[in-house]
Amino acid sequence: MEVRIGVQHANRELVIESAQPASEVEGVIAAALKSEDGLLVLADEKGRRVVVPAAKLAFVEIGEESSRQVGFGARG
């Protein structure tokens, strides 16, 4: 699932592909906003971690969960 993170005063968004379900990502975001250190930490499918100060978040967009398609597109 694709997660797009907007950071204040940054021209580009951070985009990661996460293997976590949407409800889990949402829980991590909510916990970061409430925590004392205020750090949002998400891991992508390859195990890389993205760390963003929660106070600097402009938005977080959580994409739909979908299975990966193989090939050049759906045939109908």
Side-chain angles (χ1 to χ4, degrees), residues 1 17-18 45 66-70:
M1 154 191 33
E17 287 291 330
S18 177
E45 290 179 335
S66 61
S67 60
R68 290 186 172 248
Q69 295 183 353
V70 177

Side-chain angles (χ1 to χ4, degrees), residues 26-37:
E26 189 174 343
V28 170
I29 295 165
L33 292 170
K34 293 178 185 178
S35 72
E36 288 184 25
D37 66 1

